[in-house]
Amino acid sequence: MPAPLLRDIKNSILHLFYPRLCEGCSKPLVTGEEILCLGCSMELPETNYHLIEDNEAAMRFAGRMPYNKVTSYAYFTHEGLLQHLLHRLKYQDKKDVGLYLGRRLGARLRDSGWADGIDMIVPVPLHKAKEANRGYNQSRLIAQGISEMLGIPVESSVLCRVRDTASQTNKTRSERISNMSEAFMITDKAQVRGKHILLCDDVLTTGATLEACALALMEEESTKISVATIGIAVS
Ligand SMILES: [Zn+2]
C-alpha cells in the first residue's frame, strides 16, 4: 500500500476516536477541513487590504515611519471569531491556529504577488522571559505559516526584545511610544543590511510595537520594511 494512502487511513481511524473539532462552532471537522469548518472559515471577515495600497492598516503608520507595504488579513472585533482564535493561540497553547492563520494570509499574499521582492520574514519578538513562560512566540508561528506559502525564510533571530513592554494598558499614546523605543535591537546587522523585511505580528492596534521594531531594523541603512498582521483591531 502506498505510504500516503496508509497515512490517510491512519488519520481517519485516529479522527474516528478523537474527532477534531471546529475552533469556531465545535462541530467535528470533516476531511479537508483544518481548524475551522467550511461555514466558520467563510465567516472570517477578510479585509482584502493586500489589494488596496492606502488601506486602513497602512494609514496607521503613515507619517510615522517609512514603509513599503502594509496589510492586515482580517478585522479583529470584540468577541469576534478572530479574537477567539487569537486567544486560543496566545493563551491556550493552540499553536496550530497560528500556522493556520499564517497560511491563510500567506496564500493571499502569494496569489496577488504582494510579497514579490521580500527577502525574509521577521516576527515581532517576545521578551526572553515571556517566551520562556508561554513556551513559544505566537508571531513566529504566524510567520512560519506565511513562509510555507511564500517560500520566503523566517529569520526570527535578527531582532531581539531587550525590554519587556507588556503592560502598556494604562499609558497614553505618547507614553507608550517612548516606552517602546529602544525596546528592540538588531542582533545581526550584516544579515538585514539592504534587505526587504516583512515584519509580522498577530494584531495591529496602535502600531507602536511594529513601529519600534521597524525603526530598530531601519537603523541599518537601505533596509526596507513591509508589515503584515493577521488582525486589525477595529471598534
Ligand atoms: Zn465551525
Side-chain angles (χ1 to χ4, degrees):
M1 193 180 290
L5 186 59
L6 195 64
R7 190 188 59 213
D8 283 354
I9 292 172
K10 267 190 193 163
N11 282 342
S12 302
I13 294 169
L14 201 66
H15 296 157
L16 201 61
F17 294 103
Y18 302 101
R20 301 168 309 143
L21 303 179
C22 171
E23 288 288 340
C25 66
S26 301
K27 280 194 297 204
L29 295 176
V30 299
T31 307
E33 289 176 340
E34 193 196 349
I35 305 294
L36 295 177
C37 71
L38 186 62
C40 290
S41 160
M42 292 190 332
E43 271 175 33
L44 257 190
E46 294 190 33
T47 62
N48 282 318
Y49 282 173
H50 60 289
L51 304 175
I52 309 162
E53 197 175 331
D54 292 329
N55 60 63
E56 166 64 23
M59 288 308 102
R60 292 192 190 180
F61 296 100
R64 291 166 57 183
M65 65 178 216
Y67 56 80
N68 201 270
K69 289 176 181 178
V70 180
T71 192
S72 295
Y73 176 66
Y75 296 107
F76 178 94
T77 53
H78 182 59
E79 292 183 356
L81 177 57
L82 188 56
Q83 187 190 40
H84 169 73
L85 290 176
L86 290 177
H87 185 87
R88 296 280 283 151
L89 168 64
K90 281 173 82 166
Y91 305 109
Q92 294 175 332
D93 208 34
K94 287 293 291 183
K95 299 186 195 69
D96 50 353
V97 170
L99 289 167
Y100 168 77
L101 291 170
R103 285 186 200 120
R104 281 186 64 149
L105 167 58
R108 289 279 182 264
L109 303 185
R110 178 196 60 199
D111 296 346
S112 58
W114 188 93
D116 292 354
I118 289 174
D119 298 299
M120 64 177 80
I121 305 171
V122 175
V124 168
L126 287 181
H127 191 265
K128 234 193 307 180
K130 192 166 190 177
E131 181 163 348
N133 195 23
R134 187 173 293 165
Y136 55 96
N137 173 359
Q138 73 280 359
S139 295
R140 188 184 303 154
L141 294 165
I142 291 166
Q144 277 166 13
I146 299 173
S147 169
E148 279 178 28
M149 291 296 148
L150 296 177
I152 298 172
V154 177
E155 300 292 351
S156 49
S157 61
V158 297
L159 192 66
C160 79
R161 195 170 195 139
V162 284
R163 205 140 56 83
D164 190 11
T165 47
S167 52
Q168 293 267 65
T169 348
N170 297 318
K171 294 192 168 67
T172 65
R173 190 183 137 91
S174 65
E175 279 172 340
R176 270 184 216 163
I177 289 168
S178 66
N179 186 36
M180 196 64 80
S181 67
E182 294 171 11
F184 300 94
M185 212 179 71
I186 308 179
T187 54
D188 187 347
K189 291 187 174 181
Q191 210 181 345
V192 302
R193 191 170 302 142
K195 295 286 166 44
H196 184 175
I197 296 171
L198 177 61
L199 264 176
C200 79
D201 205 2
D202 50 359
V203 185
L204 172 62
T205 49
T206 65
T209 310
L210 284 155
E211 182 186 354
C213 288
L215 293 175
L217 288 166
M218 281 188 289
E219 276 177 26
E220 204 44 42
E221 267 180 65
S222 69
T223 295
K224 283 194 291 185
I225 300 290
S226 287
V227 173
T229 67
I230 295 298
I232 177 167
V234 286
S235 46

